[in-house]
Amino acid sequence: MTMTRLVAAAAILTVSAGAAVARDRIQIAGSSTVLPYASIVAEAFGENFDYPTPVVESGGSSAGLKRFCEGVGENTIDIANASRPIKSSEIEACAAAGVTEIIEVRIGYDGIVFASDKSGAEFAFTPADWFGALSDKVLVEGALVDNPNTSWAQVNPALPDQPILAFIPGTKHGTREVFEEKVILAGCEATGAFDAIMAENGGDKKEAEKACMILRTDGLSVDIDGDYTETLARISSNPNGIGVFGLSFYESNTDKLRVATMSGVAPSVETIANGDYPVSRPLYFYIKAAHLAEIPGLKDYAEFFLMDEVAGPDGPLAEYGLVSDPELAETQAAVAEERLMN
Amino acid sequence: MTLRSKSLFAADPHIQSRKRADARFKLYGLAAILAGLALLAVLLGTVIGNGLGAFQQSYLTLEVELLESKLDKNGNRDIEEIKKVTTFGYDPLLTAAAERLIETQNIQTDLRAKDIAKLLSKSAVSDLRDFVVADTSRIGRTVSFDFLVNARVDGYLKGRVTRESIADDKMISAEQLDAVDQLVAAGALVKRFNLDFILGSDASDQRPEAAGIGTAMLGSLAMMLVVLVLTLPVGVSASIYLEEFAPKNRLTDLIEVNISNLAAVPSIVFGILGLAVFINILHLPMSAPLVGGLVLSLMTLPTIIISSRAAMKSVPPSIRDAALGVGASRMQAVFHHVLPLAAPGILTGTIIGLAQALGETAPLLLIGMVGFIASTTPETMGDALLAPNSALPAQIFEWAKRADPAFYERAWGGIIVLLVFLVAMNAVAILLRRRFERRW
């Protein structure tokens, strides 16, 4: 009896090894910000085509691109979702593993919003406020000192007198980079700290930018490595906290969150589309061109994703919170021609 | 020490204090048990309170006219042409049906039919398309169809969504809720038991109301099958050898120590091993329950070996000696006498090991079984093992991460399903032990 079972187990293994050669299902991984959009499209794709529904995993932009760059073949993913553009170091890593042909697809824009507990006070932020609250060093009377602020009112008297406690995305999230660039760095320049750092280090712009983006480590700025649900849970248990979310996440949880304005503009699909709301970033996915011929439906998926009915301003993605790309037609054409990066 | 002069019937202070200490100790034990029970009650109360809602869902009955002009423009019922009409093409049918609903039920509202149609789940169009594609002769007829309503409306009927909570919500308005009230009063919108939650598949972020745990359950079952088929024979063979045949030397000692250590290795380690060996070297498919089962087998094997050995050790040596004494070979003694007597213990250990593997999420993260995966129900056994799928705990984890609060309810509902599974497995283990166990 034992022997027959072992033989059966061995048989299963052999069959599976044979099946592994021909994968017929698209495998996607990457940004947790893009995940909802990708799964909405994957579901509709499975419904409208005869191909099986693609598999969409999350884990963050960097993790997804790392898996994307592992090589070419059935046991690697076909598409990486990313909430930031691919870095040149990642393109090099890809090339080293044989992934030389990559198609970049921009699907639209996502707003980054700042929200606090629904029962808390209203906030109207500027990037300078966030720099003053979270930066490691701030400018006080013309000198760079360790950040002394512990309350929002100390940063800006117009803000409520509430202790500073910010839940920001961890470094593996693409959102973090946008937050650093469009909020912290912008605030650094606006407060004059940037020029002070430049003056101190002898005019090295790159180093000054880096120095600007060093955040305080005394516990008032908390990195969240998980998803937005974790940020939401932290705020629910700590009503003084202010969290960084994606616009679509906020729109699903308007009963628990109060959104803050940034530079006087409230975030919405409209204000992001017309550029009034300053903190937004493009969302991407990257296709492994070598897989286009191997994996059935891969190109159809990409084209379906970009259809006006899907990614356009009236499509289901916009309804979920994606700000559709004004240059969608250009991207559609690029995918139709399988135009490679560079 | 003073001499006791009192009667034996009157307790002296020393004895009294000892008795009090005794009573206190009993009380501590009782308090510990009560605390444990209270925590269990809180846990079960939270799980059931949060999760029971997932087993009920709200449906709206609509009369839909399957217009030939929309679905089959050429009128030749060619399935390939009908398939070309995407789910977006079905939206106008629902709007028309909503318009008819407003008229027939006499709903007083300023909303357009389109806004009433938005009360429906996003899955409504795909349900309708599946219905038409399954039998094209239905085109042209008017059919009565029970559609899921979206998670906000469903939450309103369940009390999770109120008019205050949707003040800033773009997905639903107070006027729509007024219409919902009238539809409920008219009996067109009802909340009932939702079998699809138990049997259905995962749905995307926009349709929490359509998500079910059935496909993930099949994934878990397929993994358990792989684990059982692999670990039971290997585990039992290993423990027979170690217990009955192996010479007692340093090598066997080393093997024994290592098996015990393996049982304590964190499960994520097996996940990394699975990724490196099964997917990257052996090229087994990603996200497949087969790979999940292989990884969990590695994790379960030590548990089964340890419990099987314990079961065999508890068979008295007199049984073996008697069998050997009447001329049985070592193998006959094991298979005819020791193994049948140890079987209940081995099975109990196996079931407990399986139950442990059933609740494991960490190793599945690394082999791609967490995400939007369990969206199509496998049809054949091969599919169940090889097609990408999730597992019960991985599906719960996935739902708990999603933005829409309705998924949160489903995560708790999933926990109820998982707990029912675990309780059933443990009950089988207890039953087997009760029925077959022999004491010496």
Side-chain angles (χ1 to χ4, degrees):
Chain A
M1 187 184 78
T2 313
M3 270 317 283
T4 48
R5 278 198 187 157
L6 278 173
V7 171
I12 293 171
L13 276 172
T14 330
V15 169
S16 64
V21 178
R23 173 156 65 81
D24 63 348
R25 203 178 291 245
I26 302 169
Q27 290 269 2
I28 305 166
S31 165
S32 45
T33 309
V34 184
L35 175 75
Y37 304 116
S39 52
I40 288 167
V41 176
E43 184 174 58
F45 180 72
E47 282 164 7
N48 283 310
F49 288 81
D50 286 334
Y51 304 114
T53 307
V55 169
V56 193
E57 296 170 58
S58 61
S61 305
S62 305
L65 283 166
K66 198 171 167 215
R67 278 180 67 187
F68 184 77
C69 292
E70 269 170 6
V72 174
E74 302 279 350
N75 59 336
T76 58
I77 58 172
D78 309 311
I79 291 180
N81 293 327
S83 53
R84 57 167 174 79
I86 191 168
K87 291 179 194 160
S88 55
S89 60
E90 285 163 339
I91 294 177
E92 280 158 25
C94 264
V99 187
T100 47
E101 297 181 324
I102 303 170
I103 302 174
E104 183 180 65
V105 183
R106 190 175 60 214
I107 59 170
Y109 294 84
D110 178 45
I112 293 175
V113 308
F114 303 85
S116 50
D117 192 69
K118 186 87 180 170
S119 59
E122 294 261 6
F123 279 89
F125 290 119
T126 61
D129 297 337
W130 277 91
F131 177 76
L134 294 192
S135 180
D136 189 38
K137 292 200 186 304
V138 292
L139 210 54
V140 176
E141 289 163 4
L144 280 173
V145 294
D146 285 344
N147 195 336
N149 300 325
T150 54
S151 146
W152 289 102
Q154 288 169 354
V155 179
N156 177 354
L159 290 173
D161 187 14
Q162 182 174 317
I164 294 171
L165 180 61
F167 300 108
I168 60 172
T171 43
K172 72 168 187 173
H173 289 286
T175 316
R176 171 62 170 265
E177 264 164 58
V178 184
F179 173 73
E180 284 177 348
E181 250 165 55
K182 302 223 166 162
V183 182
I184 299 295
L185 191 56
C188 187
E189 281 164 8
T191 54
F194 187 77
D195 295 328
I197 296 171
M198 281 262 272
E200 226 172 61
N201 72 7
D204 188 341
K205 208 171 161 194
K206 272 237 164 95
E207 282 303 309
E209 281 180 3
K210 259 193 203 159
C212 270
M213 292 190 279
I214 298 173
L215 299 184
R216 66 198 300 175
T217 50
D218 53 1
L220 300 190
S221 159
V222 182
D223 277 17
I224 303 285
D225 274 329
D227 293 86
Y228 293 136
T229 38
E230 191 187 334
T231 315
L232 178 65
R234 295 284 193 106
I235 287 181
S236 300
S237 62
N238 206 332
N240 278 334
I242 294 179
V244 177
F245 297 95
L247 176 69
S248 58
F249 187 91
Y250 161 71
E251 295 214 318
S252 292
N253 291 284
T254 50
D255 55 330
K256 298 183 205 80
L257 292 172
R258 181 185 296 283
V259 74
T261 60
M262 179 57 80
S263 309
V265 184
S268 72
V269 170
E270 295 78 36
T271 53
I272 293 164
N274 65 21
D276 285 348
Y277 187 77
V279 200
S280 68
R281 37 80 188 273
L283 301 179
Y284 298 88
F285 65 82
Y286 292 89
I287 311 170
K288 215 176 268 178
H291 283 195
L292 283 172
E294 309 293 326
I295 308 294
L298 185 53
K299 191 173 177 187
D300 290 318
Y301 169 81
E303 288 185 319
F304 181 72
F305 203 126
L306 296 170
M307 268 168 64
D308 288 335
E309 285 129 311
V310 179
D314 300 318
L317 300 188
E319 202 176 318
Y320 192 75
L322 182 77
V323 178
S324 60
D325 187 349
E327 288 159 23
L328 193 59
E330 173 61 21
T331 318
Q332 286 166 347
V335 168
E337 294 169 20
E338 303 181 10
R339 208 179 292 158
L340 301 176
M341 286 184 80
N342 309 325
Chain B
M1 198 172 149
T2 52
L3 256 168
R4 290 197 201 94
S5 56
K6 284 181 199 156
S7 133
L8 278 175
F9 294 102
D12 66 28
H14 189 67
I15 288 186
Q16 275 177 339
S17 100
R18 277 190 356 189
K19 277 190 175 162
R20 275 200 301 276
D22 217 39
R24 274 202 304 277
F25 183 71
K26 232 165 83 184
L27 227 71
Y28 295 149
L30 201 63
I33 287 188
L34 283 180
L37 281 179
L39 285 176
L40 183 69
V42 168
L43 177 78
L44 281 182
T46 324
V47 168
I48 291 173
N50 281 319
L52 226 45
F55 293 90
Q56 285 203 319
Q57 212 62 43
S58 314
Y59 295 84
L60 178 64
T61 312
L62 278 184
E63 301 283 327
V64 185
E65 192 181 357
L66 301 172
L67 289 169
E68 190 171 17
S69 59
K70 296 273 183 210
L71 304 182
D72 189 12
K73 285 190 180 105
N74 301 329
N76 52 16
R77 299 287 185 274
D78 179 359
I79 183 79
E80 289 308 317
E81 271 183 44
I82 290 164
K83 274 188 181 169
K84 283 209 180 94
V85 181
T86 60
T87 46
F88 308 109
Y90 284 75
D91 274 325
L93 301 184
L94 291 180
T95 311
E99 195 149 20
R100 213 165 312 133
L101 178 79
I102 297 172
E103 279 166 27
T104 53
Q105 301 287 357
N106 197 21
I107 307 291
Q108 304 299 319
T109 178
D110 296 334
L111 295 171
R112 291 167 304 153
K114 208 177 163 196
D115 294 313
I116 298 292
K118 278 202 178 136
L119 297 176
L120 295 175
S121 163
K122 297 252 183 281
S123 67
V125 279
S126 73
D127 289 346
L128 200 60
R129 185 175 181 271
D130 288 345
F131 180 74
V132 170
V133 170
D135 181 3
T136 54
S137 71
R138 286 162 174 159
I139 295 176
R141 281 194 242 154
T142 300
V143 291
S144 177
F145 214 102
D146 283 358
F147 291 110
L148 283 166
V149 294
N150 72 40
R152 290 290 195 283
V153 177
D154 181 60
Y156 178 63
L157 261 65
K158 286 174 180 165
R160 187 182 66 234
V161 173
T162 61
R163 282 189 167 72
E164 291 82 58
S165 76
I166 58 150
D168 297 329
D169 203 322
K170 292 208 176 87
M171 295 173 212
I172 195 157
S173 66
E175 291 85 53
Q176 279 175 316
L177 290 186
D178 293 339
V180 167
D181 283 338
Q182 295 180 49
L183 286 169
V184 172
L189 183 54
V190 288
K191 192 172 78 177
R192 57 180 156 83
F193 180 68
N194 176 23
L195 192 63
D196 279 345
F197 175 68
I198 302 169
L199 300 180
S201 307
D202 192 14
S204 73
D205 291 59
Q206 258 179 333
R207 339 175 154 162
E209 61 281 351
I213 200 153
T215 303
M217 210 184 323
L218 281 180
S220 273
L221 282 176
M223 289 200 303
M224 290 305 107
L225 190 73
V226 173
V227 173
L228 189 67
V229 164
L230 288 180
T231 52
L232 193 59
V234 176
V236 172
S237 314
S239 45
I240 289 176
Y241 179 77
L242 285 175
E243 201 54 42
E244 306 287 338
F245 296 100
K248 296 273 172 274
N249 57 24
R250 299 193 78 141
L251 185 69
T252 30
D253 282 351
L254 192 72
I255 293 175
E256 276 173 31
V257 169
N258 274 313
I259 289 174
S260 307
N261 280 341
L262 266 183
V265 168
S267 54
I268 191 88
V269 176
F270 293 112
I272 296 179
L273 182 78
L275 175 68
V277 176
F278 298 129
I279 293 180
N280 288 346
I281 297 178
L282 292 180
H283 288 214
L284 292 178
M286 280 182 282
S287 316
L290 176 75
V291 180
L294 289 172
V295 168
L296 293 179
S297 298
L298 295 177
M299 205 193 87
T300 317
L301 203 51
T303 318
I304 291 188
I305 293 178
I306 290 169
S307 66
S308 301
R309 289 191 63 190
M312 277 190 250
K313 228 178 230 151
S314 70
V315 176
S318 55
I319 305 262
R320 287 182 196 87
D321 294 345
L324 295 174
V326 295
S329 71
R330 296 277 291 275
M331 189 178 141
Q332 282 172 324
V334 169
F335 280 94
H336 295 175
H337 301 281
V338 179
L339 209 52
L341 290 171
I346 294 175
L347 284 181
T348 312
T350 309
I351 292 172
I352 304 278
L354 283 181
Q356 200 186 351
L358 181 72
E360 201 57 64
T361 325
L364 306 183
L365 271 172
L366 289 160
I367 54 170
M369 293 184 76
V370 182
F372 177 66
I373 298 164
S375 52
T376 34
T377 313
E379 276 153 17
T380 61
M381 196 58 212
D383 251 12
L385 287 172
L386 297 173
N389 203 339
S390 195
L392 282 173
Q395 184 71 68
I396 293 167
F397 172 64
E398 179 60 28
W399 281 342
K401 288 195 307 179
R402 292 197 187 158
D404 200 299
F407 275 115
Y408 194 62
E409 173 189 272
R410 297 194 115 62
W412 287 101
I415 292 173
I416 295 181
V417 173
L418 183 62
L419 283 182
V420 167
F421 250 78
L422 291 175
V423 168
M425 285 173 85
N426 285 333
V428 169
I430 291 170
L431 219 71
L432 282 174
R433 201 164 52 211
R434 277 279 170 80
R435 192 145 165 68
F436 297 110
E437 190 176 46
R438 290 185 63 178
R439 293 194 178 278
W440 311 94

